[in-house]
């Protein structure tokens, strides 16, 4: 049996972990990136594509395998094509459309009684500082901060002009919560019926995280493009609350988007000075911040007495499911 | 024999490490947090309290055990109650009152010939930019920066009005040293009679560490509430000086507060552009920044050929002490 | 056979790794720092010097050993003395003069078709914001940012007055690229004929990384003195491009400075908001940022199923070379 994923994002981690769990590993890779991935001996088989349609048909021709979706899958090949993947997917494929729609996404969080930033569906309603975001996982490209409805409208107009967005309704306008970002990475295990905290990270964004190093007399428009991640831990006293969030979120998805979250997800949060955790977004698949923890995170070591990346954790879950004839509980 | 601690702060690390060293592990936990701690299989026994008095009486009823104090112990149950703990404590309990008194605290550093920021006992004397701090380990809540005696007085008045402080004399006013924060985590081993560097961290504080991401046109009062920690290493050429500090500090405490520091302590420092290390505070117990290093830190690996968190290091010290009939050297 | 290095920079890592690979370890150490290094049991032998000339003669008298140069070697004992080291050096000693000359250094990058910041050889040509740097690895001391030719000239005059630089021609003036710093640490293995990514770090610089925590009303001249390092990972989609850079750089050095790069090197980069990687400097030896990864980095675990610091990786390469009678391929 083989584990297969699309090259990029966290594919090295996913396949490295799969190999450690004893699976055959296969990668579906853009021909331009093929030579890069050939460097890594834990990748057994290469399926090279020239265009996205070919990627899907390659995936569908791999026998006896499970496909692992990651945070860039939809950005790379598009929702339409993802829906054509016919081999088993680890996780809940019904969640994909929810993840691609900011309205529905925030709805799931709100139904879980998780604190979220105030949303404004109409720029006209904006009465405080907001952050304006584009749909899809474009790594923060085009995001901007605005302090008034006028600035929001001007910014949206620029995005439409540049063709970075097609329809104003795709845009999400959120209260800009003041505090520090923390990304809480979780894993829901149907096998153990438990939520595990697999790590915490901070995104390292260009150019915003460089601007603070500039002299104040240089005025430069900030951008929020994620280029990497930095590890962190949280105060232990924050953890009970974020675990409550995580479990409540798992329960909500089980009800609203059955069979609910399976495997990795991430609650993307701001921690305020009152130590409130405000979740402004979630990911329903493995996030790139887990790449920090190939040898385990400060939290994974609390569960596992061996190095356990999220990539490996996925394959461990599949292996345990297989051994117990419960594969249907972890794939869709 | 069992290792026991109070839930929160670094209790997961402490008990995870104790289990690895073969001890029975027990936690004294607020009933609201009980369900969170039940998730972790390395905690053998739960003592659930409804109020702080009950916490102390629960602790005192545990037979054949050693209690591990951490950085939040006094904040959680108060100095008065801590002094009523009758079972053996790992470390030097005589240090607790020193740690709770900013004057005495800075005195210990100064006696150790460690460079510290200039202190002002009277707001009237302030002649430069200062940081004003509240007593106790409240995670930085209420701290503020002021550039004149007037601003200091105004700020203190606000704190008194809000009831965040009872007596102006509890407040510490320190020169605001310009440089970068670095927290040097040490461990003094009476068994090996040596100081070990167990790690370095940077605090991740809300909202100050988020403000730098805000556009300059948003004006927002900074706060300094510790919400987490980020790992770091120091230039190797800084280490001889900080080890000299650490050893000198151990020697001072041995003389002034016998038997002196035992186990973990932290020198909380600013490194200036001249690479001077200025220590503005110390912790005499395990700090939360050690939670980064559950699987060992870049420094712990220089001493130990196995994963050695500070939590585990504590239990290792106790185990070695026990095996050599030297338990009295590590407990008070 | 023994592995020897000069105390400081990454010497603990180098010797810790050498010991793990089964070598005898020896350190050449300034007598003032001797007591610090005596703390570490993995250092077998001490050669204590009082002045730099003595350091070189001590090195030259050690039989059957290989000397490991690190990023501070030339700063500590000077190029002249380094050229007098007669025992085998791991790596390519012909690269040292190239590394000490900013012109030649940038030339090597440009020949490798690596994107670099625009350089200005004459302050008179400056037409944008630039960073002005001093020669040698002085940890960023004296660096400044200037927005016009006038500011550049004023700044250089101050450096000349303070004696921080002897000749204006030693100074490098580079376009100040806006983005976030990322230091890509590589290792070229002549034995495996491959480039490995050994880690990524961010420098932690005083006082610039502290200034962002200051209230905006405090005006303070920034300095860029490296005091430590923080770990990071990059988006996986950035890696193919930086590997292309790294391989092209290895090929260029092989041609221009034979036998080319051997062992660790670092591409010191800014990642822009377009996710372009702009390399503003390189190191041809082990950098201090590798000290983060004593137990392996998120990337080293992709190659090695055991903890592999760069220090250890060096000794592993030497060991493999020795076993295959290829020592001449890794030393000069």
């Amino acid at each position: 049996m083989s584990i297969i994923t699309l090259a990029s994002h966290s594919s090295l981690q996913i396949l490295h972990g799969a190999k450690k769990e004893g699976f055959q590993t296969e990668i579906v890779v853009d021909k331009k990136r093929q030579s890069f991935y050939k460097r890594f001996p834990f990748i057994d088989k290469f399926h090279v594509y020239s265009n996205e349609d070919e990627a899907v048909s390659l995936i569908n021709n791999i026998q006896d395998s499970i496909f692992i979706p990651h945070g860039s899958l939809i950005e790379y090949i598009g929702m339409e094509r993802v829906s054509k993947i016919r081999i088993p997917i680890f996780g809940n494929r019904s969640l994909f459309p929810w993840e691609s729609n900011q309205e529905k996404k925030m709805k799931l969080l709100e139904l879980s009684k998780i604190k979220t930033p105030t949303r404004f569906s109409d720029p006209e309603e904006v009465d405080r500082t907001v952050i304006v975001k584009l749909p899809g996982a474009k790594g923060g490209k085009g995001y901007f901060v605005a302090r008034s409805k006028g600035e929001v409208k001007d910014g949206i107009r620029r995005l439409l002009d540049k063709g970075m967005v097609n329809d104003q309704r795709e845009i999400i306008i959120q209260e800009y919560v003041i505090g520090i970002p923390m990304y809480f990475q979780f894993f829901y295990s149907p096998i153990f019926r438990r939520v595990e905290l697999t790590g915490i990270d901070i995104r390292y964004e260009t150019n915003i995280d460089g601007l603070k190093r500039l002299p104040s007399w240089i005025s430069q428009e900030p951008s929020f493009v994620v280029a990497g991640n930095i590890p962190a831990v949280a105060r232990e006293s924050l953890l009970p609350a974020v675990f409550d969030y995580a479990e409540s979120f798992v329960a909500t998805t089980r009800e609203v988007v059955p069979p609910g979250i399976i495997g990795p997800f991430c609650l993307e949060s701001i921690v305020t000075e009152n130590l409130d955790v405000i979740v402004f977004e979630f990911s329903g698949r493995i996030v790139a911040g887990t790449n920090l923890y190939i040898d385990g995170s400060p939290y994974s070591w609390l569960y596992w007495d061996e190095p356990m990346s999220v990539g490996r954790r996925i394959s461990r879950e599949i292996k345990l499911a297989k051994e117990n004839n419960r594969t249907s509980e972890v794939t869709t």
Side-chain angles (χ1 to χ4, degrees), chain A:
Chain A
M1 182 160 173
S2 69
I3 295 296
I4 169 170
T5 197
L6 187 74
S8 206
H9 190 271
S10 49
S11 62
L12 291 171
Q13 182 196 159
I14 290 168
L15 298 180
H16 177 260
K19 180 50 80 185
K20 274 197 153 353
E21 294 301 304
F23 290 102
Q24 154 112 344
T25 57
E26 310 193 23
I27 197 163
V28 176
V29 56
D30 185 317
K31 69 173 178 215
K32 283 176 243 145
R33 286 177 171 169
Q34 186 189 176
S35 71
F36 170 69
Y37 285 94
K38 291 258 171 175
R39 300 166 184 282
F40 299 97
F42 52 81
I43 309 178
D44 295 321
K45 219 165 157 186
F46 289 75
H47 304 272
V48 182
Y49 66 86
S50 306
N51 62 61
E52 292 78 3
D53 287 324
E54 201 186 348
V56 176
S57 83
L58 285 169
I59 293 169
N60 283 333
N61 281 318
I62 302 170
Q63 305 294 318
D64 193 25
S65 67
I66 293 177
F67 182 79
I68 316 295
H70 54 53
S72 290
L73 176 66
I74 291 166
E75 190 196 342
Y76 274 54
I77 66 173
M79 178 66 82
E80 183 66 20
R81 285 188 200 86
V82 171
S83 68
K84 291 182 180 148
I85 296 177
R86 287 185 312 263
I87 67 169
I89 283 181
F90 177 79
N92 177 1
R93 61 169 83 209
S94 308
L95 258 173
F96 297 165
W98 286 75
E99 275 192 79
S100 295
N101 181 307
Q102 291 285 2
E103 286 286 318
K104 291 172 103 171
K105 209 167 179 175
M106 296 312 293
K107 197 86 196 159
L108 277 184
L109 292 171
E110 290 157 14
L111 285 169
S112 310
K113 309 232 177 297
I114 290 172
K115 290 182 188 172
T116 56
T118 304
R119 278 189 295 153
F120 300 93
S121 46
D122 184 346
E124 207 55 57
E125 295 165 10
V126 169
D127 63 356
R128 63 194 81 178
T129 300
V130 293
I131 181 157
V132 181
K133 298 174 176 181
L134 309 197
K138 311 214 168 174
K141 190 130 185 107
Y143 285 19
F144 67 92
V145 179
R147 70 188 130 175
S148 68
K149 56 179 90 165
E151 287 185 5
V152 173
K153 289 186 217 164
D154 291 352
I156 293 176
R157 203 170 305 122
R158 275 194 303 274
L159 292 175
L160 289 165
D161 289 353
K162 287 187 199 160
M164 290 180 70
V165 68
N166 302 317
D167 185 338
Q168 181 172 320
R169 284 166 303 182
E170 292 172 25
I171 280 172
I172 192 154
I173 306 169
Q174 278 180 344
E175 173 189 10
Y176 191 94
V177 178
I178 298 200
I180 52 175
M182 271 202 181
Y183 294 75
F184 295 95
Q185 308 159 4
F186 288 100
F187 187 96
Y188 176 67
S189 164
I191 299 304
F192 292 111
R193 292 203 171 81
R194 73 176 183 197
V195 170
E196 297 167 20
L197 178 61
T198 61
I200 297 175
D201 74 284
I202 305 168
R203 290 192 181 157
Y204 187 41
E205 295 174 359
T206 178
N207 60 23
I208 182 68
D209 289 317
L211 292 189
K212 64 201 183 195
R213 298 172 61 93
L214 280 181
S216 56
W217 43 258
I218 299 185
S219 62
Q220 172 69 29
E221 195 79 10
S223 57
F224 300 86
V225 181
V226 183
N229 304 80
I230 294 170
V233 292
R235 282 173 86 119
E236 195 169 304
S237 58
L238 288 178
L239 299 183
V242 297
F243 264 92
D244 283 348
Y245 279 9
E247 297 214 318
S248 168
F249 184 69
V250 169
T252 301
T253 58
R254 198 180 292 136
E255 201 175 307
V256 181
V257 201
I261 276 276
I262 293 165
F265 63 103
C266 181
L267 297 181
E268 302 165 8
S269 314
I270 298 291
V271 182
T272 71
E273 60 176 324
N274 301 317
L275 296 174
D276 265 339
V277 179
I278 313 294
V279 180
F280 59 90
E281 194 153 349
F282 77 85
S283 286
R285 283 159 285 157
I286 183 171
V287 290
T290 62
N291 289 334
L292 288 160
Y293 303 121
I294 298 284
D295 191 50
S297 81
Y299 298 103
S300 73
W301 288 101
L302 297 177
Y303 300 98
W304 301 95
D305 206 22
E306 56 191 327
M308 189 57 73
S309 70
V310 176
R312 186 177 185 181
R313 186 68 190 82
I314 290 170
S315 284
R316 174 67 56 92
E317 191 78 2
I318 294 170
K319 195 166 81 174
L320 291 171
K322 252 189 111 206
E323 288 168 5
N324 295 281
N325 293 317
R326 295 172 62 185
T327 313
S328 66
E329 292 178 48
V330 301
T331 55
T332 56

